């Protein structure tokens, strides 16, 4: 290293500037804010984490009961029409379950104050003059005279050259007007030279050579203003899931051992795809650019339908002990091998908690994720028909029956998102599967509906 | 001159406010000087200083007691300043001196040994952003042109030519002042 560089390094290293008196407090305040933000960030992970954990826990407990060797309670149930449904001998069974410019910089268009005022040069960088000017002199000849006296509001550097040129560096440090001050600086950037120097406008003094200037990357495509949307942390929207539902039936007893297994098989094969929908409000929080957490409240309607042809071996033995769909008693269940139909409508209030990975390219984006949906039963409408009764449907609103079971679903979504200003419109396929059986564990047959469909919706981004 | 002890750093790692304030008071004047050298004005230098200290205190846990703490803090400050320059795109403009200055190429090298540090830094601050950045990185931080080119995303030859011109511009300022 040459002497020039050595001297430069030594002198530059020894250069010091006093920070503002409230500088440390500002740093501490920023750190505190950062800590809080971090906490909020983790809270949003903990909530769905806790929900998922609780879901798994509940599911495991539920499954644990189901898996244990159980003796069916053979207590008789009396129904509205005073018939006593068939009860099998309380069977003992066990089940086994399976179970993330040139910058004009203003080149700096450093507007050089070219007014050849020989007395005072206001300079960019070094010099900023604002309304409340206060000046502190700094004699360049004296090594320790650089101390900046500053109070809470202002800091001023005055650079006094040996040629008696006074370079004033004034800063208005009023906290409340920092932004204004910055703007003023940008607007009034001027170069400093001592008055003894020949001041030449930047445009003359430093001519640009194209070959030495790296290309300035294009940061933003030139999009029409109406589709330039800004990323926001919070959004509120509406959604609608529409699709079909079908159930997976299973039993805790071997298929071939008793009629119960056969019956479950029959129910599986006769279950039809039925229209199902869900709609509601969704609230989203996006702690980081690529991630968002979603919750909300909605209404879900699900339907199920089966028809059992008469004459089967199981039909005569259908009863509420095994078949949860027998929400109420009809004569057909009293040992009648007639063709039967089941049609139920389940209404829930749904609360989703989901996490999404999101990627956005200007006005279009993608999001994929999933989570759990808690379904709180509101009401169930049950329809059943028996051939022997002349295909007469019996309807009943079931408010407090075993059909009104709290549900937990896992859900997965993949959406294409279109951003238009502060609005986002999204749509894509959705899949849901119920984790817990629709019927409580005292029934041998278990029914877990799944949903295949699509989701559409719109969000307003705050 | 106060010394940064291991004990002080340990206390800072434990988020003890008094220790953090002490560390700040020791380092801040030097670091603000660095920030000033890079951004060229005391207003932005103050912002950069605060930004640097936020990073220093946040990343304090990653500092292993190898090497000087001041050097570690200094690197953070330099990087913060460079990021600021990149963010404000000032680094992308690499200016050239005009022919008038080129014509003075043969002038003898200005001896800056007797120049006061404040005077020097203030002259550096007057340089265009591109010159200032490369002068800081090469002459003061001691980075090679290759390292500078990698850091700033410019070619090595650009870095070299910018430095030469920056040096001349600086010398030009000194000489003009001296003559007057």
């Amino acid at each position: 290293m040459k002497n020039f560089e050595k001297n430069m390094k030594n002198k530059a290293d020894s250069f010091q500037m006093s920070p503002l008196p409230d500088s440390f407090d500002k740093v501490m305040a920023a750190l505190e804010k950062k800590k809080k933000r971090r906490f909020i960030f983790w809270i949003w992970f903990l909530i769905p984490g806790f929900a998922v954990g609780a879901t798994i826990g509940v599911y495991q407990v539920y499954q644990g009961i189901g898996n244990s060797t159980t003796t069916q309670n053979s207590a008789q149930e009396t129904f509205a029409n005073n018939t006593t449904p068939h009860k099998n001998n309380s069977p003992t069974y066990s089940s086994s379950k399976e179970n993330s410019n040139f910058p004009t910089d203003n080149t700096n268009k450093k507007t050089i104050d070219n007014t050849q005022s020989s007395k005072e040069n206001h300079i960019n960088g070094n010099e900023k003059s604002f309304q409340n000017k206060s000046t502190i002199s700094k004699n360049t000849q004296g090594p320790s005279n650089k101390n900046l006296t500053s109070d809470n509001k202002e800091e001023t550097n005055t650079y006094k050259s040996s040629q008696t040129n006074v370079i004033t560096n004034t800063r208005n440090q009023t906290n409340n007007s920092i932004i204004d001050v910055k703007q003023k600086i940008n607007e009034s950037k001027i170069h400093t030279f001592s008055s003894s120097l020949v001041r030449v406008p930047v445009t003359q003094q430093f001519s640009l050579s194209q070959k030495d200037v790296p290309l300035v990357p294009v940061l933003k495509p030139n999009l029409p203003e109406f589709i330039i949307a800004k990323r926001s942390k919070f959004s509120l929207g509406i959604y609608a899931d529409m699709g079909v539902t079908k159930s997976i039936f299973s039993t805790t007893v071997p298929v071939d051992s008793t009629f119960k297994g056969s019956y479950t098989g029959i129910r599986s094969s006769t279950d039809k795809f039925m229209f199902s929908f869900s709609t509601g409000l969704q609230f989203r929080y996006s702690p980081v650019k690529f991630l968002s957490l979603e919750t909300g409240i909605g209404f879900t309607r699900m339907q199920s339908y089966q028809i059992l042809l008469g004459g089967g071996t199981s039909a005569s033995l259908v009863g509420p002990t095994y078949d949860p769909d027998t929400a109420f008693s009809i004569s057909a269940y009293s040992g009648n091998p007639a063709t039967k139909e089941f049609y139920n409508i389940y209404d829930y209030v749904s609360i989703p908690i989901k996490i999404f990975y999101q990627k956005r390219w200007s006005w279009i984006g993608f999001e994929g994720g999933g989570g759990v949906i808690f379904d709180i039963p509101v009401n169930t409408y049950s329809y059943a028909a028996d051939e022997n009764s002349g295909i007469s449907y019996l309807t009943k609103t079931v408010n407090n029956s075993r059909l009104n079971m709290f549900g937990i679903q896992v859900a997965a979504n993949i959406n294409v998102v279109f951003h238009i200003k502060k609005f986002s419109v999204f749509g894509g396929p959705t899949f849901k599967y119920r984790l817990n059986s629709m019927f409580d564990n005292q029934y041998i047959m278990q029914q877990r509906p799944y949903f295949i469909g699509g989701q559409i919706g719109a969000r307003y981004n705050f | 001159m106060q010394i940064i002890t291991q004990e002080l750093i340990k206390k800072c790692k434990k988020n003890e406010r008094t220790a953090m304030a002490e560390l700040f008071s020791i380092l801040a004047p030097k670091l603000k000087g660095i920030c000033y050298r890079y951004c060229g004005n005391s207003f932005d230098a103050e912002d950069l200083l605060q930004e640097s200290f936020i990073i220093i205190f946040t990343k304090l846990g990653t500092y292993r007691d190898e090497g000087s703490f001041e050097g570690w803090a200094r690197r953070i400050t330099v990087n913060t300043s460079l990021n600021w320059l990149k963010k404000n795109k000032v680094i992308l403009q690499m200016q050239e001196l005009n022919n008038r200055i080129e014509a003075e190429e043969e002038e003898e090298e200005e001896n800056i040994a007797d120049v006061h540090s404040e005077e020097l830094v203030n002259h550096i601050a007057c340089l265009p952003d591109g010159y200032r950045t490369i002068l800081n990185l090469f002459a003061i931080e001691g980075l090679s042109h290759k390292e500078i080119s990698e850091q700033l995303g410019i070619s090595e030859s650009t870095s070299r030519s910018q430095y030469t011109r920056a040096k001349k511009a600086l010398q030009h300022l000194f000489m003009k002042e001296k003559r007057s």
Side-chain angles (χ1 to χ4, degrees), chain A residues 5 11 13 17 23 105 107-108 125-126 128 143 146 182 192-193 196-197 204-207 209 212, chain B residues 29 36 40-41 43 46-47 74 93 95-96 98 112-113 115-116 118 126 129 140 163 165 173 176 180:
Chain A
E5 281 84 13
K11 290 188 182 299
D13 281 346
M17 273 182 102
S23 192
D105 159 24
T107 306
N108 271 344
N126 277 355
K128 279 145 201 169
K146 189 208 170 265
K182 274 192 164 180
T192 289
F193 296 92
S196 57
L197 299 174
Q204 289 175 29
Q205 200 171 29
F206 309 112
S207 63
S209 168
D212 286 333
Chain B
Y36 180 72
N41 67 78
F43 185 89
E46 181 64 34
D47 280 354
R74 188 192 166 103
Q93 15 163 5
Q95 292 113 329
E96 258 188 44
N98 66 0
I112 59 166
V115 175
H116 191 265
E118 288 155 25
C126 293
D129 298 308
I140 301 166
Y163 176 67
R165 285 163 189 153
L173 293 174
K176 285 286 176 191
S180 63

Side-chain angles (χ1 to χ4, degrees), chain A residues 154-190:
Chain A
E154 297 179 20
E155 180 191 329
T156 308
N157 284 339
T158 303
Y159 172 75
K160 206 175 205 174
S161 77
S162 53
Q163 307 299 319
T164 69
N165 296 310
V166 178
I167 299 170
T168 309
N169 188 357
T170 305
R171 279 179 54 199
N172 186 334
Q173 292 289 335
T174 307
N175 293 340
N176 294 336
S177 60
I178 282 175
I179 294 167
D180 291 344
V181 171
K182 274 192 164 180
Q183 281 170 352
K184 283 179 183 176
I185 290 167
N186 287 332
E187 287 163 11
S188 63
K189 275 193 169 180
I190 349 178

